[in-house]
Amino acid sequence: MASIKIAFVPAGRPLCSLTVLEELGVAAEVWTDIRTPSPITATLPLGDTIQGDHAVARYICSQHAPALCGAGDALVAAEVDQYLAAAANHADAPPDELQPLLQHLDARLATRTFLAGHSLTLADIAMWALFPPEKASKEEQPLYPHAARWLRSMWARKGFARAAALCHGGNAAPSV
């Protein structure tokens, strides 16, 4: 399969898309371009384009790992969609506005390892992308132990750490 090309504005940080690429080991040409019409634009092998971090990530998953989108399980697919919508709604939220979301994640993860289904999905990737190093607070760990455990497990994945380093200028994972 031919490589896709992903361009993003310097402030765009397509963390979700890059994490999917890194986790799946999918080759893509990725670069920053101030002329990009949206924060993130993917050009597909036949010239079609997709705009937006989550849309690009969903396309990559559908082509290379449909299970990450919940393929074959209607409930998991709906949960993935729910978390993608929540991630989009909170994409530019300052850390203090993420508290209700952290509370929800903590309750959800009290008896689970992943947000949707029994394995990693795009829901985990999209939600994790909301908590880059500068938003991950050590003070919140005692308040949200299950969310902190989940964040640590996501940061421990090599693809997540590599994508974060690309987006955040080499910053290491936070100590959550």
Side-chain angles (χ1 to χ4, degrees):
M1 179 176 277
S3 175
I4 67 171
K5 300 172 184 175
I6 300 175
F8 60 98
V9 295
R13 293 184 175 183
L15 187 53
C16 192
S17 299
L18 290 179
T19 302
V20 169
L21 289 170
E22 290 291 337
E23 274 294 299
L24 298 178
V26 174
E29 295 177 44
V30 180
W31 71 92
T32 59
D33 186 346
I34 59 172
R35 297 166 293 151
T36 300
S38 80
I40 297 110
T41 300
T43 303
L44 307 180
L46 295 178
D48 295 317
T49 60
I50 300 172
Q51 296 182 349
D53 193 21
H54 295 145
V56 172
R58 181 177 276 287
Y59 172 81
I60 297 164
C61 289
S62 70
Q63 294 297 304
H64 299 279
L68 283 178
C69 293
D73 187 323
L75 176 59
V76 173
E79 289 174 336
V80 168
D81 288 344
Q82 170 186 306
Y83 282 106
L84 284 173
N89 289 337
H90 290 86
D92 297 319
D96 61 316
E97 291 181 19
L98 293 174
Q99 296 306 311
L101 183 59
L102 270 172
Q103 189 174 19
H104 166 80
L105 293 176
D106 196 63
R108 175 81 173 172
L109 294 162
T111 59
R112 314 170 64 101
T113 302
F114 300 99
L115 291 172
H118 301 290
S119 60
L120 180 74
T121 64
L122 193 51
D124 297 293
I125 296 168
M127 285 282 107
W128 167 82
L130 289 176
F131 300 97
E134 63 270 16
K135 288 187 180 178
S137 168
K138 287 179 106 173
E139 294 77 37
E140 293 168 353
Q141 289 178 46
L143 298 173
Y144 308 109
H146 307 296
R149 169 191 43 81
W150 172 78
L151 281 168
R152 281 191 305 273
S153 72
M154 296 299 112
W155 276 105
R157 299 178 73 94
K158 289 180 183 177
F160 282 60
R162 283 193 303 264
L166 289 170
C167 280
H168 299 290
N171 287 350
S175 54
V176 292

